[in-house]
Amino acid sequence: MTSHDTRRARVLSGMRPTGPLHLGHYHGVLKNWVQLQHEHECFFFVADWHALTTAYDEREIIANNVWHLVIDWLACGVNPSLAQVFIQSRVIEHAELHLMLSMVAPLGWLERVPTYKDQIENLREKDLATYGFLGYPVLQSADILMYKATAVPVGEDQVSHVELTRELARRFNYIFGREPDFAEKAEAAVRKMGKKNAKLYRELRRRYQEQGDAEALEVAQALLADQQNITLGDRERLFGYLEGGGRTILPEPEALLTPAPRMPGLDGRKMSKSYGNTIFLREEPDEVDRKVRTMPTDPARVRRSDPGEPTKCPVWDFHKVYSDQRTQEWVLEGCRSAGIGCLECKRPVIDAIQAELAPIRERAQELESDPETVRNIVNEGCDGARSVARETMKEVRSAVGLDYR
Ligand code: TRP
Ligand code: SF4
């Protein structure tokens, strides 16, 4: 987050249940969640409806993955007494808010979200020309705005979705949050600025609100600051009117970029299931061993006696995550002087990963054999989430004018 007060943040994040988690998730996302739950009010949920937007024809897969995912979270230290852990589709209010937001979500905004075209390109074998898929970021906006989350921990690829959430919140507040006579008062104030300035103000306001032109907003704010002949009250009204004005029903969240150490995959590319370069959190010890031992190294080290260069070797990236300074120096020196062999070099990495995964694996096994406990945790999380969601929906329905009975 930028300048905001992060102390009393409400944090919300979700993951799609698309498969078992790996070390990339652990270092990139989960360790951060575990940290955040000690500092903030946290909501972590399984985005099963989001998974459905691309896997609508794979029903068993989602169900299995949901429980696997929750267990992975808990095994990594997500603590249900500190965070609400829930499943999106069990808090039906998300669907209602999604629908409400969809009423004011301009098609152009959705088509311009970068992940939209990217995903359609990447998943060519799937027909993603669906209403549900186009609405993916609207559903995500509903997830976030439902809890009035102030901070949303996400990776780089999700920042545009949080950005859209902010724009939708602004637009929702603008359309539904105005006091009955706010617009009249604001219009009267515009006229008091004089013909020329009023015209300029209206033009800039239109450019900002319709096209999100941030520069127009700045120019308009400067224009208002310069006005000599309007009252303080009118000036504030005009500032509010410029940005939407009126009441804030759904506050704008901020993306909280995960400060991840770069956890690369076994081949040096980003760790990702689709590259087949992962170590899963519940990987068997023998498999961990095998995977690291067969990792590629600096190609210059053909023979044991050839010196190598760690910065050209994916194993070195692992050392940067797992090894202390002494070990790192041992690697740098030993590799460049051919003093150590690659298998020798990999040993501390293997040991560190095994030490990291052993307690996770053990805890996951315990939970796996106790589905009752997992279900209870999720039930409670859903209840907690639902009670917040109900409050929000009351406000939303009332603002939209759907609270008649
Ligand atoms: N789209 C996110 C992802 O694929 C998952 C997600 C759904 C999410 N709703 C969210 C993340 C709300 C943060 C907040 O990673
Ligand atoms: Fe990579 Fe280590 Fe081999 Fe050097 S010694 S090439 S850093 S595995």
Side-chain angles (χ1 to χ4, degrees):
M1 273 190 304
T2 51
S3 59
H4 264 234
D5 181 358
T6 57
R7 268 168 301 164
R8 286 200 327 266
R10 183 179 271 179
V11 171
L12 171 129
S13 199
M15 266 189 221
R16 283 169 301 142
T18 49
L21 298 186
H22 52 63
L23 282 177
H25 296 113
Y26 181 64
H27 287 275
V29 184
L30 281 168
K31 272 166 66 173
N32 192 36
W33 284 15
V34 169
Q35 178 73 33
L36 286 166
Q37 72 186 354
H38 293 287
E39 297 157 6
H40 307 291
E41 188 184 3
C42 287
F43 292 81
F44 299 128
F45 73 100
V46 182
D48 54 347
W49 277 333
H50 277 106
L52 207 55
T53 62
T54 54
Y56 46 79
D57 52 353
E58 300 168 36
R59 42 180 298 159
E60 338 61 54
I61 296 187
I62 290 181
N64 291 337
N65 285 333
V66 166
W67 297 111
H68 199 104
L69 186 60
V70 170
I71 289 175
D72 278 347
W73 291 355
L74 299 172
C76 287
V78 170
N79 182 339
S81 59
L82 298 173
Q84 306 282 5
V85 174
F86 68 99
I87 297 173
Q88 183 184 39
S89 69
R90 299 228 340 235
V91 184
I92 203 80
E93 283 78 4
H94 288 231
E96 187 181 358
L97 187 53
H98 175 215
L99 183 71
M100 301 284 199
L101 293 174
S102 78
M103 301 299 168
V104 297
L107 275 181
W109 291 11
L110 304 183
E111 285 159 350
R112 274 196 298 273
V113 172
T115 50
Y116 179 62
K117 287 207 178 74
D118 288 357
Q119 284 275 73
I120 287 182
E121 284 289 309
N122 289 342
L123 299 172
R124 275 183 180 278
E125 71 282 7
K126 272 268 153 68
D127 178 10
L128 293 182
T130 62
Y131 178 55
F133 186 68
L134 181 65
Y136 185 109
V138 182
L139 180 57
Q140 185 161 350
S141 300
D143 300 336
I144 297 167
L145 297 174
M146 185 69 86
Y147 302 93
K148 303 187 179 180
T150 51
V152 185
V154 284
E156 201 85 59
D157 62 319
Q158 295 289 312
V159 171
S160 64
H161 293 176
V162 179
E163 205 44 53
L164 181 84
T165 305
R166 293 165 59 87
E167 278 159 12
L168 282 179
R170 208 175 299 146
R171 190 164 155 86
F172 185 93
N173 293 331
Y174 170 67
I175 295 174
F176 300 115
R178 279 172 298 171
E179 313 295 354
D181 59 350
F182 180 80
E184 286 78 34
K185 284 190 179 148
E187 279 298 333
V190 177
R191 287 191 292 274
K192 286 183 205 152
M193 283 196 293
K195 242 191 171 142
K196 198 168 131 251
N197 284 335
K199 185 165 177 243
L200 181 57
Y201 174 89
R202 288 203 177 92
E203 172 61 19
L204 292 166
R205 177 172 176 270
R206 193 189 56 74
R207 268 172 42 201
Y208 174 65
Q209 291 190 354
E210 287 180 11
Q211 295 146 30
D213 183 340
E215 204 185 306
L217 175 64
E218 272 176 41
V219 176
Q221 284 167 337
L223 174 74
L224 287 179
D226 268 358
Q227 296 301 303
Q228 306 295 331
N229 48 358
I230 54 173
T231 65
L232 200 65
D234 274 345
R235 195 195 304 273
E236 280 177 359
R237 213 161 263 133
L238 289 172
F239 272 114
Y241 195 45
L242 196 54
E243 289 187 78
R247 227 150 42 89
T248 300
I249 305 159
L250 302 172
E252 293 178 36
E254 288 196 50
L256 187 57
L257 258 186
T258 314
R262 212 182 83 81
M263 181 71 225
L266 292 164
D267 57 0
R269 292 185 292 176
K270 181 177 180 243
M271 189 177 279
S272 160
K273 206 173 42 165
S274 53
Y275 293 151
N277 62 358
T278 59
I279 293 178
F280 293 107
L281 294 183
R282 293 196 232 168
E283 199 87 71
E284 287 303 322
D286 286 353
E287 262 307 281
V288 174
D289 218 82
R290 191 192 62 78
K291 283 186 170 180
V292 178
R293 286 157 66 92
T294 54
M295 264 178 88
T297 59
D298 177 2
R301 293 205 74 178
V302 182
R303 267 167 262 109
R304 167 71 177 74
S305 54
D306 296 331
E309 176 47 48
T311 55
K312 292 180 184 156
C313 174
V315 179
W316 172 241
D317 289 327
F318 276 62
H319 276 294
K320 283 192 286 190
V321 174
Y322 286 108
S323 299
D324 59 17
Q325 207 187 335
R326 256 189 64 213
T327 309
Q328 291 190 7
E329 277 161 16
W330 170 77
V331 172
L332 289 172
E333 208 278 314
C335 179
R336 287 172 181 157
S337 66
I340 59 171
C342 289
L343 276 181
E344 205 179 342
C345 176
K346 288 170 173 178
R347 183 43 50 197
V349 168
I350 295 174
D351 292 345
I353 297 175
Q354 300 287 21
E356 177 167 79
L357 293 187
I360 296 177
R361 193 185 304 115
E362 192 183 325
R363 179 109 183 89
Q365 267 160 10
E366 278 168 27
L367 291 162
E368 202 68 65
S369 63
D370 186 8
E372 197 53 28
T373 295
V374 179
R375 264 172 237 281
N376 284 338
I377 288 170
V378 170
N379 284 345
E380 274 176 32
C382 290
D383 289 346
R386 204 175 290 119
S387 71
V388 177
R390 285 201 177 131
E391 287 307 309
T392 303
M393 287 319 296
K394 268 190 219 152
E395 291 172 51
V396 166
R397 282 183 215 121
S398 150
V400 173
L402 291 176
D403 53 352
Y404 50 83
R405 276 286 177 269

